[in-house]
């Protein structure tokens, strides 16, 4: 079966750095997405990785290792508005997105 | 640009009732999707469309039907609602199958 694993919940302090991990087992791989979802709102796109390595976009970076079936999202200089759920999704061989259950990130002052 | 819009925002149904959820996008996207999101689970694909007049089944299609008569609209129908269909329903659209998906604000459905 297809499986995406990410921690259910993480807590971090304002101004700090946090790394959210995602491991996956899917039938084929055509890219990995990270989305942010604030409570009661729609998911919004953060990043896309299809090749191994680090993609940096402002305070957010995303890393991919296809051989290990592993990705992480790195958030720097945390702000209170970063409190949200972070969803990892893998595009499988049928070009459909398989979604993880999401990691709820709690930022404390 | 409104992006992706969904109506209604919230609905309460009794078991056995029917309803239609409407999704509209103004980005001229070919691909449209219907997902459901349940606590502790990832988004699950119900049905999707790769263009006007086409539809295809996703991971959890049973109990739902869809239609894409116009490129900008994607309708999700529940013919006979069941309590197991209580969920938050998200519509999304994208330019191509490998492109970013843009989500609507969601419809919260409660089936009693």
């Amino acid at each position: 079966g297809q499986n995406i694993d990410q921690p259910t919940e993480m807590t971090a302090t304002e101004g700090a750095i946090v790394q959210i991990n995602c491991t996956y087992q899917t039938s084929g791989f055509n890219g990995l997405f990270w989305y942010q979802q604030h409570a009661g709102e729609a998911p919004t796109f953060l990043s896309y990785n299809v090749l191994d390595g680090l993609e940096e976009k402002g305070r957010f970076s995303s890393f991919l290792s296809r051989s290990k079936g592993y990705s992480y999202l790195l958030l720097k200089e945390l702000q209170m508005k970063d409190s949200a759920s972070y969803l990892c999704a893998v595009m499988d061989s049928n070009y459909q997105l398989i979604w993880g259950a999401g990691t709820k990130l709690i930022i404390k002052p | 640009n409104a992006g992706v819009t969904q109506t209604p925002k919230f609905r309460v149904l009794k078991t056995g009732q029917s309803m239609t959820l409407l999704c509209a996008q103004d980005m001229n996207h070919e691909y449209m999707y219907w997902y459901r999101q349940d606590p502790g689970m990832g988004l699950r694909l119900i049905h999707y469309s790769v263009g006007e007049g086409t539809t295809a089944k996703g991971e959890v299609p049973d109990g739902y039907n869809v239609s894409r008569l116009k490129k900008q609209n994607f309708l999700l129908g529940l013919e006979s609602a069941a309590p197991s269909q209580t969920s938050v329903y998200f519509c999304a659209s994208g330019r191509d199958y490998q492109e970013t998906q843009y989500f609507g604000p969601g419809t919260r459905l409660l089936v009693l």
Side-chain angles (χ1 to χ4, degrees):
Chain A
Q2 307 202 89
N3 197 46
I4 311 284
D5 285 319
Q6 44 180 139
T8 303
E9 187 175 295
M10 298 182 70
T11 302
T13 304
E14 190 177 15
I17 300 173
V18 70
Q19 177 175 311
I20 301 173
N21 296 326
C22 171
T23 58
Y24 62 89
Q25 288 180 305
T26 56
S27 57
F29 179 85
N30 283 297
L32 186 144
F33 294 79
W34 284 96
Y35 279 76
Q36 180 189 58
Q37 185 177 26
H38 285 100
E41 297 184 8
T44 55
F45 170 77
L46 285 178
S47 69
Y48 171 66
N49 295 70
V50 66
L51 299 176
D52 290 351
L54 187 68
E55 293 279 343
E56 296 185 82
K57 191 186 292 186
R59 294 189 299 115
F60 293 9
S61 303
S62 56
F63 171 83
L64 174 67
S65 169
R66 288 172 296 171
S67 63
K68 295 182 178 178
Y70 168 70
S71 172
Y72 67 73
L73 181 69
L74 192 72
L75 291 73
K76 303 176 185 177
E77 301 170 14
L78 286 170
Q79 302 175 9
M80 297 304 293
K81 67 178 182 180
D82 297 329
S83 292
S85 288
Y86 291 85
L87 314 180
C88 174
V90 173
M91 186 161 283
D92 69 8
S93 57
N94 294 319
Y95 296 98
Q96 290 186 10
L97 282 177
I98 309 301
W99 296 80
T103 298
K104 182 178 181 180
L105 178 63
I106 299 168
I107 310 296
K108 294 186 175 181
Chain B
N1 266 359
V4 181
T5 57
Q6 292 182 233
T7 52
K9 287 185 170 52
F10 178 70
R11 185 76 183 269
V12 179
L13 288 180
K14 294 181 180 178
T15 297
Q17 287 185 318
S18 64
M19 78 164 293
T20 300
L21 284 69
L22 172 63
C23 175
Q25 53 96 2
D26 61 3
M27 296 176 282
N28 201 35
H29 287 166
E30 290 292 337
Y31 286 66
M32 296 188 75
Y33 311 83
W34 275 109
Y35 292 94
R36 59 178 290 173
Q37 187 174 42
D38 301 293
M41 302 181 72
L43 288 159
R44 290 183 291 169
L45 183 64
I46 304 171
H47 286 280
Y48 64 100
S49 169
V50 302
E52 181 178 319
T54 74
T55 63
K57 294 180 180 180
E59 180 187 356
V60 290
D62 294 342
Y64 305 94
N65 56 75
V66 288
S67 64
R68 183 111 181 257
L69 299 179
K70 292 183 179 181
K71 186 177 183 179
Q72 63 267 34
N73 295 338
F74 196 29
L75 278 63
L76 178 71
L78 285 74
E79 291 182 347
S80 179
S84 60
Q85 293 178 306
T86 292
S87 188
V88 180
Y89 291 86
F90 285 102
C91 175
S93 71
R95 283 190 307 183
D96 200 347
Y97 54 87
Q98 280 188 294
E99 298 273 340
T100 301
Q101 293 182 17
Y102 296 87
F103 284 80
T107 294
R108 296 181 179 277
L109 176 65
L110 175 61
V111 183
L112 301 174

